[in-house]
Amino acid sequence: MRAKGPLSHAALHMILLGGSFLFLFPLFWMLSTSLKPIEETMLTPPQWIPSALHFDNYLKAVTHGREILGYIPFLEYGKNTLLLCALGVVGTVISNALIAYGFARLRWPGRNIFFGITLATMMIPFPVLMVPMFVLFRELGWVGTFRPLWIPAWFGSAFNIFLLRQFFLTIPRELSDAAVVDGCSEFQVFRHVILPLSRPALSVVALFYFLFTWNDFLGPLIYLTDQRMFTLSLGLQFYQSQHGGTEWHLLMAAATIVVLPVIVLFFFTQRTFIQGIALTGMKG
Amino acid sequence: MLSRALRIVGLVLLAALMYVGFTRQPGPAAEDGKIHISYWEKWTGFEGEAMRAVVDEFNRRQDEIYVDMLTISQVDSKLLLSTAGGVPPDVVGLWNSNLSSFADKKVLLPLDDYLERAGISREHYIPAYYDLCEYEGVMYALPSTPASHGLHWNKKLFREAGLDPERPPRTMEELDAYSERLTKRDETGHLILMGFLPTEPGWWNWAWGCYFGGSLWDGGDTITTDSPVNVRGYEWVESYAERYGVTSLQVFRSGFGNFSSPQNAFLSGKVAMVLQGVWMSNFIDKYAPGMEWGAAPFPYPADSPELAEVASVETDVLCIPVGARHREEAFEFIRFVNSQEGMELLCMGQGKHTPLAEVSEEFLAEHPNPYIQVFIDVAKRSRTFSNPKTPLWSEYLSEMNAAFDEIWLGEASAEEALGRVRIRMQQKLDRHLEQKALREERP
Amino acid sequence: MRGLRRRELWAGLAFVSPWVVGLGVFLIYPIVASLYYSFCDYSVLDRARPIGLANYTDLAKDSLFWKSLFNTLFYAALAVPLGLGLALALALLLNSGVRGLTVYRTIFFLPALMPMVALAVLWLWIFNGEYGVLNVALARLGIQAPPWLTDPAWSKPALVLLSMWGVGQAMVIFLAGLQDVPEHLYEAADLDGASWWDKIRHVTLPMISPVILFNGIMGIIGSLQFFAIPYIMTPNGQPARSAYFYAMYLYDNAFLYLRMGYASAMAWILFILIFCLTLVSLRLAARYVHYEAAP
């Protein structure tokens, strides 16, 4: 085979299995801890597998202190996160597809310079934008609302424009030319010729943006002031700051709740995922 | 046809989501004709419940104002963000330690006019607590629940170590000697009990110099972090790390749970003596019922008997942020909390003493903390201290915590670490005074 | 033809119009504003007052600024090369024709999906001094484990170790690069009697050098902005600010001390730093990176 190494197949599998163990163990440990009664979290040597599966830890984690003040409404946070993800994903896909089409398939003066500027902005780190964005959203009266966390997604982002443009360029020009000859407007070409052919690339963009929103911490930390409007990531940090250090089983249950949807999503969309990530490296 | 229907459903759904994503605002809307004021509080649990009872009482008596109380964690940084973002609440419950820097940044509304109109003045309060609400001659808050601090000790552990359970240490030297007697290790040499730990609870790491008579700032243009008395205080901290070994102490400490849990170092009997506030009694009742304990003024260095009068105090405060929409109504609520009735309801619920000069007899008679008088007396001492009222306190505090870590971990000597803090804070203070002058010159 | 051209111009502008707004409002304006604020005394609650270079000269004297910068560069200097090495090693192993590639790939990639906050919370538990599973495991192997997050000497290495767990993304990119290396190159090398190592050195590495460069630059940019994990795991950079990173100090200045001008100056220094490091990488790349001639 390709660059066949000096290792025998058995040795190779040994190493990979060992590596797999190391990579999976923390996840296993999270799951295991999340199902233990509290006493078993504090044993030395540790209890590897819970003596009984305490699924009620999950219920406790999401309803922790429901009867008292300071209750952390995880289900509400889940809804908030999904709302932001949905709005952001739709916006990101629509806007970036439009913009990328403009860059890939249409010729207009200044296009290449504009595209160059677009690429250059990929280097700008978020911390540089953090302060003025906050000031801007303050002027708009958006601080404390969901708006700063999803509306910008509707105006494109350099990385996704780049990704989709690369993809659109690979679609044969003849297809769209034929449609134009048939009397289609540019938008109709985009809508009925390009989009249907671009499902894989669009799913990559959608998936990445979903993950970004799901995982984002700094954005919600700055813009969300009301505890009822937190996202899951922010809620988990909040939970940790309130109940961390003692109730590790509940904290791990909460963490699992935040992680699990991502993993499930990954299993259903593995191919798109891996291809998408490979794509980001390729043309970089 | 189906796909068309689906598309319409999708669009409607999207529109609905966009509507929610766009309009969702913090705080509920007023629908009952009353003016709703939003009130952010940091308390959770029973302390939150106590405040909730006061809020309910206020709401019950009001037909014009309705207070919406919301629990907020890290309320100080959230207040900064929301005030800076232009969407502050109407009332906020902070700590007095926030006041100087927040007032300086113009986050808080001066209350002098409101106080004058309401006829509220210093003589209505235990002076120490009223003064904590003032910054540069202006009142920015009123107290909600106050607290003075004292040494708490575990009588059972005292007895086991052969100490008189009714006699707490009075001087620092006694504290050290008691600690030595109380400390226990298991057969492998691991610590299983510490007599006293200067890292517990870790909320006042900046204050150890003050217990030796020091202060962190002269009130004007000089930072005094590494004054000889302060250095002495932190050398005392250092002596604990050296005597018991940092590594074993760190391992021992990592087994402590949260403050508010049965695994709390003091409540679980891992530390026998601890510096804590008047609230500790509640947590003992809740997580370690049946524990035999006592509370007394914190010890002082034997060679400075005049420091027997020193005590640390602090208070939770209620403030109105700049940019609040309903200031009059907000003050109305603060005023109710500061009435004798409101205050005693609150402080009884939280197991603290009241900051007011006048206390009802029932309050003292029914108070759940058996040592409540100890804490009241401590607060009335002539030399109380709290964090210095410098506008740079949040930075200063972070510096002090870092210096404390360095000293504790043996990374630097007390003198070095405190010296570094002084240099840094002096730079910041100089720059601050310069910019402040500039601001006043060109408003 | 001219009609078509004009049609394309208007259509093109219409298609990219969201981006014109996005670029202007969410990138260009903030950048310009940030530069302006960096020369001002600005708290948001009061108007911005120009103070010349004071923020920059103060930063030069600010020992915490230097400390946070040192911590960040220290972390990057360990985490980026180690992460690249591990990712590449895993990718090479997976690319050697092993059965079950997709299963292994999934396993190694899985942790890279974890939300930062969940990652931080989980590793707090793993690193815990008393009940932490890592130290138990090390003790079994006869290793006296360091008190990871409570010892200033070990807090940064602990965070580097944690970052190794998330190399899956870089690994997948490497793997894709490896699979694109034309088979005939290896066949030619085989004919020359090249050893496995020769093939790695003279065929594989040069062929995937653009991917190494890409992953390296991404790694540098990411690690210089390291924020969420230390914000949760080592609040205030405890112990003794040994884990206080640049982005944390920037955040604290901006939103804890409301010194937006000072924070903006920090942001610009970070920007310039990233710019320079990227430039240096690209210069180095010009020497070492092999770009295959376009087919």
Side-chain angles (χ1 to χ4, degrees), chain B residues 180-400:
Chain B
E180 191 65 33
R181 293 232 353 223
L182 286 156
T183 299
K184 270 198 252 171
R185 292 168 189 274
D186 67 9
E187 57 281 4
T188 57
H190 283 101
L191 284 166
I192 48 173
L193 169 64
M194 273 299 291
F196 178 78
L197 256 184
T199 52
E200 279 304 299
W203 300 331
W204 307 293
N205 290 342
W206 55 269
W208 294 118
C210 305
Y211 281 104
F212 286 79
S215 69
L216 295 173
W217 175 47
D218 76 343
D221 56 9
T222 312
I223 299 287
T224 56
T225 327
D226 59 349
S227 68
V229 258
N230 281 336
V231 171
R232 185 181 169 199
Y234 287 90
E235 280 173 348
W236 172 75
V237 169
E238 207 175 358
S239 73
Y240 273 80
E242 279 169 3
R243 202 173 316 143
Y244 301 100
V246 187
T247 318
S248 50
L249 282 169
Q250 291 299 86
V251 171
F252 180 56
R253 285 178 61 213
S254 65
F256 298 172
N258 259 11
F259 169 74
S260 177
S261 78
Q263 287 77 31
N264 171 308
F266 181 69
L267 301 180
S268 60
K270 286 184 171 170
V271 173
M273 296 181 284
V274 69
L275 173 64
Q276 268 297 356
V278 59
W279 54 75
M280 198 60 187
S281 155
N282 306 314
F283 293 89
I284 295 172
D285 289 347
K286 185 166 173 201
Y287 294 114
M291 180 180 195
E292 291 176 79
W293 63 284
F298 197 75
Y300 54 92
D303 57 7
S304 322
E306 75 281 5
L307 296 182
E309 269 296 299
V310 165
S312 54
V313 291
E314 62 189 353
T315 183
D316 293 297
V317 292
L318 294 175
C319 311
I320 304 176
V322 165
R325 277 167 304 169
H326 307 296
R327 280 163 255 168
E328 292 295 332
E329 293 79 6
F331 186 77
E332 199 50 43
F333 170 66
I334 295 179
R335 185 181 171 183
F336 174 73
V337 178
N338 273 265
S339 66
Q340 191 180 345
E341 187 193 358
M343 192 58 91
E344 290 190 0
L345 182 60
L346 175 63
C347 293
M348 183 65 100
Q350 295 204 356
K352 296 174 185 161
H353 51 280
T354 118
L356 299 174
E358 220 163 290
V359 190
S360 71
E361 278 175 22
E362 306 88 76
F363 181 81
L364 291 177
E366 286 166 21
H367 202 285
N369 186 337
Y371 294 92
I372 193 67
Q373 198 60 46
V374 172
F375 291 97
I376 296 176
D377 292 344
V378 161
K380 288 183 174 167
R381 282 179 166 190
S382 58
R383 287 182 64 179
T384 55
F385 73 90
S386 195
N387 64 289
K389 291 180 187 172
T390 151
L392 302 172
W393 179 240
S394 46
E395 283 126 304
Y396 204 160
L397 177 63
S398 148
E399 290 295 323
M400 286 305 289

Side-chain angles (χ1 to χ4, degrees), chain A residues 59 72-73 76 79 93 96 128 136-137 155 184 196 243 259 265 276:
Chain A
L59 197 66
I72 296 167
E76 191 72 17
K79 266 194 275 174
V93 169
N96 287 302
V128 176
L136 174 72
F137 289 135
F155 294 93
C184 283
H243 304 289
V259 172
L265 181 74

Side-chain angles (χ1 to χ4, degrees), chain A residues 180 184-186, chain C residues 2-12:
Chain A
V180 172
C184 283
S185 70
E186 279 304 338
Chain C
R2 278 204 63 199
L4 199 63
R5 261 293 152 81
R6 191 177 303 151
R7 182 180 125 140
E8 281 206 31
L9 170 65
W10 287 115

Side-chain angles (χ1 to χ4, degrees), chain B residues 116-162:
Chain B
E116 199 177 325
R117 262 182 285 149
I120 295 176
S121 61
R122 190 168 183 260
E123 53 267 25
H124 297 118
Y125 291 84
I126 295 177
Y129 293 126
Y130 189 82
D131 293 344
L132 289 179
C133 301
E134 168 270 346
Y135 173 68
E136 294 193 333
V138 178
M139 290 292 286
Y140 286 97
L142 280 181
S144 44
T145 64
S148 54
H149 308 149
L151 184 78
H152 290 67
W153 79 94
N154 185 325
K155 289 183 177 173
K156 181 166 147 274
L157 296 176
F158 266 49
R159 212 174 287 124
E160 286 170 10

Side-chain angles (χ1 to χ4, degrees), chain A residues 186-250:
Chain A
E186 279 304 338
F187 185 76
Q188 282 168 323
V189 175
F190 168 72
R191 176 73 191 78
H192 296 292
V193 178
I194 303 293
L195 281 193
L197 290 171
S198 310
R199 286 253 165 78
L202 294 175
S203 345
V204 168
V205 168
L207 214 52
F208 282 4
Y209 195 84
F210 180 89
L211 264 193
F212 165 78
T213 309
W214 189 274
N215 297 354
D216 190 18
F217 175 65
L218 191 50
L221 180 68
I222 297 172
Y223 298 122
L224 297 180
T225 50
D226 188 325
Q227 219 138 280
R228 289 165 297 196
M229 292 172 64
F230 280 4
T231 60
L232 281 174
S233 268
L234 196 58
L236 183 60
Q237 183 262 334
F238 173 34
Y239 193 83
Q240 189 264 333
S241 67
Q242 296 262 298
H243 304 289
T246 307
E247 291 162 320
W248 286 105
H249 58 315
L250 297 187

Side-chain angles (χ1 to χ4, degrees), chain C residues 201-255:
Chain C
R201 254 196 77 188
H202 299 294
V203 178
T204 314
L205 288 183
M207 288 306 290
I208 62 160
S209 52
V211 185
I212 301 180
L213 175 71
F214 173 81
N215 274 337
I217 292 179
M218 289 324 248
I220 291 172
I221 294 180
S223 54
L224 291 183
Q225 300 180 46
F226 198 37
F227 177 80
I229 288 176
Y231 179 87
I232 294 161
M233 293 185 72
T234 56
N236 283 315
Q238 285 157 3
R241 285 197 180 129
S242 60
Y244 197 57
F245 294 95
Y246 197 92
M248 295 166 85
Y249 192 38
L250 202 166
Y251 175 88
D252 283 351
N253 270 314
F255 300 113

